[in-house]
Amino acid sequence: MAEKTEDETETGTTTVVKSDERTAVRTKERPEEAVAGPEDTAAEGHAEPAEAPSGTGQGAAAVVSAALGLVSLTGGWPGTVAAARETLVGQLRTAADASVATQIKEVYGDAWDTTALWGGLFALVALITGVVVLVRPAFGAPGRTAQAPWTKSVAWAGVALGVIGLLLAVLTYTGVLLGLPAAS
């Protein structure tokens, strides 16, 4: 059921045609062109799309995971500073007449352990971040479970680097890998 109304203005006659599905406005100068109203765009499927997640956050988190995994293997500034601090503290605590074994433990051993702890911390954060990125689609909006392939690849790289870094940190801290030399 269409309803037709006319308005006369200084520029000419405007005809508004209303129906159940759309509203069109035609002017006397261009009767063949209809200016769409707000209902018209929604009826034709041209409404503003809802903000769809782009996956940018997941991609960024995957890159962060891989970077943290790399830092766990190569060492980072906080680990270096903490190790230097432990070396200084060990030098201050160790008496000049202490045994060689005590000096090695206090000056080098604690710094070595601190470096391993910081590497393990970076590895653990990389591992957790990578796993969160990989399982995130399972907790997202229904029907939107696809992730960009590169995001999955980088997240898996972060998980792998995190596992390797965590393993190396544990082996280093426990002295299984590159333990301190024994004093004779």
Short mmCIF file of all heavy atoms in Angstrom, two decimals, residues 111-147:
data_model
loop_
_atom_site.label_atom_id
_atom_site.label_comp_id
_atom_site.label_asym_id
_atom_site.label_seq_id
_atom_site.Cartn_x
_atom_site.Cartn_y
_atom_site.Cartn_z
N ALA A 111 74.35 -14.43 39.21
CA ALA A 111 74.08 -13.65 38.00
C ALA A 111 73.60 -14.58 36.88
O ALA A 111 72.68 -14.24 36.12
CB ALA A 111 75.32 -12.89 37.57
N TRP A 112 74.21 -15.75 36.79
CA TRP A 112 73.82 -16.74 35.77
C TRP A 112 72.38 -17.19 36.02
O TRP A 112 71.60 -17.29 35.08
CB TRP A 112 74.80 -17.90 35.85
CG TRP A 112 74.69 -18.88 34.74
CD1 TRP A 112 74.28 -20.17 34.84
CD2 TRP A 112 74.99 -18.68 33.37
NE1 TRP A 112 74.31 -20.78 33.61
CE2 TRP A 112 74.75 -19.88 32.69
CE3 TRP A 112 75.46 -17.58 32.64
CZ2 TRP A 112 74.94 -20.02 31.33
CZ3 TRP A 112 75.65 -17.73 31.29
CH2 TRP A 112 75.39 -18.94 30.64
N ASP A 113 72.05 -17.46 37.27
CA ASP A 113 70.68 -17.87 37.62
C ASP A 113 69.67 -16.76 37.33
O ASP A 113 68.56 -17.03 36.86
CB ASP A 113 70.60 -18.28 39.09
CG ASP A 113 71.33 -19.57 39.38
OD1 ASP A 113 71.66 -20.30 38.43
OD2 ASP A 113 71.59 -19.84 40.58
N THR A 114 70.05 -15.52 37.61
CA THR A 114 69.16 -14.39 37.34
C THR A 114 68.89 -14.25 35.84
O THR A 114 67.76 -14.00 35.42
CB THR A 114 69.77 -13.08 37.89
OG1 THR A 114 69.96 -13.24 39.29
CG2 THR A 114 68.86 -11.90 37.64
N THR A 115 69.93 -14.43 35.04
CA THR A 115 69.76 -14.38 33.58
C THR A 115 68.81 -15.48 33.12
O THR A 115 67.92 -15.26 32.28
CB THR A 115 71.11 -14.52 32.87
OG1 THR A 115 71.97 -13.47 33.30
CG2 THR A 115 70.95 -14.47 31.37
N ALA A 116 68.96 -16.68 33.68
CA ALA A 116 68.07 -17.79 33.34
C ALA A 116 66.63 -17.51 33.77
O ALA A 116 65.68 -17.83 33.04
CB ALA A 116 68.57 -19.08 33.98
N LEU A 117 66.46 -16.90 34.94
CA LEU A 117 65.10 -16.57 35.40
C LEU A 117 64.42 -15.56 34.48
O LEU A 117 63.24 -15.72 34.14
CB LEU A 117 65.14 -16.03 36.83
CG LEU A 117 65.37 -17.05 37.92
CD1 LEU A 117 65.54 -16.36 39.27
CD2 LEU A 117 64.20 -18.03 37.98
N TRP A 118 65.15 -14.54 34.08
CA TRP A 118 64.56 -13.54 33.18
C TRP A 118 64.25 -14.15 31.82
O TRP A 118 63.22 -13.85 31.22
CB TRP A 118 65.48 -12.32 33.05
CG TRP A 118 65.24 -11.36 34.16
CD1 TRP A 118 65.96 -11.24 35.31
CD2 TRP A 118 64.19 -10.40 34.25
NE1 TRP A 118 65.41 -10.27 36.10
CE2 TRP A 118 64.33 -9.73 35.48
CE3 TRP A 118 63.14 -10.05 33.42
CZ2 TRP A 118 63.47 -8.72 35.89
CZ3 TRP A 118 62.28 -9.04 33.82
CH2 TRP A 118 62.44 -8.39 35.04
N GLY A 119 65.15 -14.99 31.32
CA GLY A 119 64.88 -15.68 30.05
C GLY A 119 63.65 -16.57 30.16
O GLY A 119 62.83 -16.63 29.25
N GLY A 120 63.53 -17.27 31.29
CA GLY A 120 62.35 -18.11 31.52
C GLY A 120 61.08 -17.30 31.62
O GLY A 120 60.02 -17.72 31.13
N LEU A 121 61.16 -16.12 32.23
CA LEU A 121 59.97 -15.25 32.34
C LEU A 121 59.52 -14.79 30.96
O LEU A 121 58.32 -14.85 30.63
CB LEU A 121 60.29 -14.05 33.23
CG LEU A 121 59.16 -13.06 33.43
CD1 LEU A 121 58.03 -13.70 34.23
CD2 LEU A 121 59.66 -11.81 34.11
N PHE A 122 60.46 -14.35 30.13
CA PHE A 122 60.12 -13.94 28.75
C PHE A 122 59.55 -15.13 27.98
O PHE A 122 58.59 -14.98 27.21
CB PHE A 122 61.33 -13.37 28.02
CG PHE A 122 61.61 -11.93 28.34
CD1 PHE A 122 62.70 -11.57 29.09
CD2 PHE A 122 60.78 -10.93 27.87
CE1 PHE A 122 62.96 -10.25 29.39
CE2 PHE A 122 61.02 -9.60 28.15
CZ PHE A 122 62.13 -9.25 28.92
N ALA A 123 60.13 -16.30 28.16
CA ALA A 123 59.65 -17.49 27.45
C ALA A 123 58.24 -17.85 27.88
O ALA A 123 57.40 -18.21 27.06
CB ALA A 123 60.60 -18.66 27.70
N LEU A 124 57.97 -17.76 29.17
CA LEU A 124 56.64 -18.09 29.68
C LEU A 124 55.58 -17.12 29.15
O LEU A 124 54.50 -17.54 28.73
CB LEU A 124 56.65 -18.09 31.21
CG LEU A 124 55.38 -18.55 31.90
CD1 LEU A 124 55.08 -20.00 31.55
CD2 LEU A 124 55.52 -18.39 33.40
N VAL A 125 55.91 -15.84 29.14
CA VAL A 125 54.96 -14.85 28.59
C VAL A 125 54.75 -15.09 27.10
O VAL A 125 53.61 -14.99 26.60
CB VAL A 125 55.45 -13.42 28.89
CG1 VAL A 125 54.58 -12.39 28.18
CG2 VAL A 125 55.46 -13.16 30.38
N ALA A 126 55.81 -15.41 26.37
CA ALA A 126 55.68 -15.71 24.93
C ALA A 126 54.79 -16.93 24.72
O ALA A 126 53.92 -16.92 23.83
CB ALA A 126 57.05 -15.95 24.32
N LEU A 127 54.99 -17.95 25.51
CA LEU A 127 54.20 -19.17 25.40
C LEU A 127 52.73 -18.91 25.69
O LEU A 127 51.84 -19.32 24.92
CB LEU A 127 54.76 -20.23 26.36
CG LEU A 127 54.07 -21.57 26.40
CD1 LEU A 127 54.19 -22.28 25.06
CD2 LEU A 127 54.68 -22.43 27.50
N ILE A 128 52.44 -18.21 26.77
CA ILE A 128 51.05 -17.92 27.13
C ILE A 128 50.39 -17.05 26.07
O ILE A 128 49.25 -17.31 25.66
CB ILE A 128 50.98 -17.26 28.52
CG1 ILE A 128 51.36 -18.28 29.59
CG2 ILE A 128 49.60 -16.69 28.79
CD1 ILE A 128 51.55 -17.70 30.97
N THR A 129 51.09 -16.02 25.60
CA THR A 129 50.53 -15.13 24.58
C THR A 129 50.23 -15.89 23.29
O THR A 129 49.17 -15.72 22.69
CB THR A 129 51.48 -13.96 24.30
OG1 THR A 129 51.78 -13.29 25.52
CG2 THR A 129 50.86 -12.97 23.33
N GLY A 130 51.14 -16.74 22.86
CA GLY A 130 50.92 -17.52 21.65
C GLY A 130 49.75 -18.48 21.77
O GLY A 130 48.94 -18.62 20.85
N VAL A 131 49.62 -19.12 22.93
CA VAL A 131 48.50 -20.05 23.14
C VAL A 131 47.18 -19.29 23.17
O VAL A 131 46.18 -19.74 22.58
CB VAL A 131 48.71 -20.86 24.45
CG1 VAL A 131 47.45 -21.59 24.85
CG2 VAL A 131 49.86 -21.84 24.27
N VAL A 132 47.15 -18.12 23.80
CA VAL A 132 45.91 -17.31 23.83
C VAL A 132 45.50 -16.93 22.41
O VAL A 132 44.31 -16.99 22.06
CB VAL A 132 46.10 -16.07 24.72
CG1 VAL A 132 44.98 -15.06 24.51
CG2 VAL A 132 46.17 -16.48 26.18
N VAL A 133 46.46 -16.54 21.57
CA VAL A 133 46.13 -16.19 20.19
C VAL A 133 45.56 -17.40 19.45
O VAL A 133 44.59 -17.28 18.69
CB VAL A 133 47.36 -15.63 19.45
CG1 VAL A 133 47.10 -15.50 17.96
CG2 VAL A 133 47.75 -14.29 20.03
N LEU A 134 46.14 -18.57 19.67
CA LEU A 134 45.67 -19.75 18.96
C LEU A 134 44.30 -20.23 19.41
O LEU A 134 43.52 -20.74 18.60
CB LEU A 134 46.69 -20.89 19.11
CG LEU A 134 48.01 -20.67 18.38
CD1 LEU A 134 49.01 -21.74 18.75
CD2 LEU A 134 47.79 -20.64 16.87
N VAL A 135 43.97 -20.06 20.69
CA VAL A 135 42.65 -20.54 21.16
C VAL A 135 41.59 -19.44 21.14
O VAL A 135 40.42 -19.72 21.37
CB VAL A 135 42.74 -21.16 22.58
CG1 VAL A 135 43.68 -22.33 22.59
CG2 VAL A 135 43.11 -20.14 23.62
N ARG A 136 41.96 -18.21 20.85
CA ARG A 136 41.02 -17.09 20.85
C ARG A 136 39.81 -17.30 19.94
O ARG A 136 38.70 -17.00 20.33
CB ARG A 136 41.75 -15.81 20.48
CG ARG A 136 40.87 -14.60 20.25
CD ARG A 136 40.13 -14.19 21.51
NE ARG A 136 39.33 -13.02 21.30
CZ ARG A 136 38.02 -13.03 21.04
NH1 ARG A 136 37.39 -14.17 20.93
NH2 ARG A 136 37.36 -11.91 20.89
N PRO A 137 39.95 -17.83 18.73
CA PRO A 137 38.77 -18.00 17.88
C PRO A 137 37.71 -18.92 18.50
O PRO A 137 36.53 -18.77 18.20
CB PRO A 137 39.33 -18.62 16.59
CG PRO A 137 40.73 -18.16 16.55
CD PRO A 137 41.18 -18.13 17.98
N ALA A 138 38.09 -19.82 19.35
CA ALA A 138 37.11 -20.71 19.98
C ALA A 138 36.20 -19.97 20.94
O ALA A 138 35.09 -20.42 21.22
CB ALA A 138 37.83 -21.84 20.72
N PHE A 139 36.64 -18.81 21.43
CA PHE A 139 35.84 -18.05 22.38
C PHE A 139 35.28 -16.77 21.78
O PHE A 139 34.76 -15.93 22.48
CB PHE A 139 36.70 -17.70 23.60
CG PHE A 139 37.19 -18.91 24.33
CD1 PHE A 139 38.49 -19.33 24.18
CD2 PHE A 139 36.33 -19.63 25.13
CE1 PHE A 139 38.95 -20.46 24.84
CE2 PHE A 139 36.77 -20.75 25.79
CZ PHE A 139 38.08 -21.17 25.65
N GLY A 140 35.37 -16.62 20.46
CA GLY A 140 34.89 -15.43 19.79
C GLY A 140 33.43 -15.56 19.42
O GLY A 140 32.69 -16.41 19.92
N ALA A 141 33.02 -14.72 18.51
CA ALA A 141 31.64 -14.71 18.04
C ALA A 141 31.35 -16.00 17.26
O ALA A 141 32.19 -16.46 16.49
CB ALA A 141 31.41 -13.50 17.14
N PRO A 142 30.18 -16.58 17.45
CA PRO A 142 29.85 -17.78 16.69
C PRO A 142 29.85 -17.49 15.19
O PRO A 142 29.40 -16.44 14.75
CB PRO A 142 28.44 -18.13 17.16
CG PRO A 142 28.25 -17.40 18.45
CD PRO A 142 29.14 -16.20 18.38
N GLY A 143 30.37 -18.41 14.43
CA GLY A 143 30.40 -18.24 12.98
C GLY A 143 31.63 -17.51 12.50
O GLY A 143 31.91 -17.47 11.32
N ARG A 144 32.38 -16.92 13.39
CA ARG A 144 33.60 -16.20 13.00
C ARG A 144 34.79 -16.85 13.69
O ARG A 144 35.28 -16.38 14.69
CB ARG A 144 33.51 -14.73 13.41
CG ARG A 144 34.77 -13.96 13.10
CD ARG A 144 34.47 -12.61 12.54
NE ARG A 144 35.57 -11.69 12.50
CZ ARG A 144 36.63 -11.78 11.72
NH1 ARG A 144 36.77 -12.81 10.95
NH2 ARG A 144 37.55 -10.86 11.73
N THR A 145 35.22 -17.96 13.15
CA THR A 145 36.32 -18.69 13.76
C THR A 145 37.59 -18.65 12.91
O THR A 145 38.61 -19.16 13.34
CB THR A 145 35.94 -20.16 14.00
OG1 THR A 145 35.59 -20.75 12.75
CG2 THR A 145 34.80 -20.27 14.98
N ALA A 146 37.52 -18.05 11.75
CA ALA A 146 38.68 -18.05 10.86
C ALA A 146 39.70 -17.01 11.33
O ALA A 146 39.35 -15.93 11.78
CB ALA A 146 38.24 -17.72 9.44
N GLN A 147 40.95 -17.38 11.23
CA GLN A 147 42.07 -16.50 11.53
C GLN A 147 42.92 -16.42 10.29
O GLN A 147 42.97 -17.35 9.49
CB GLN A 147 42.92 -17.11 12.65
CG GLN A 147 42.82 -16.43 13.96
CD GLN A 147 43.70 -17.12 15.00
OE1 GLN A 147 44.21 -18.21 14.79
NE2 GLN A 147 43.84 -16.49 16.12
#
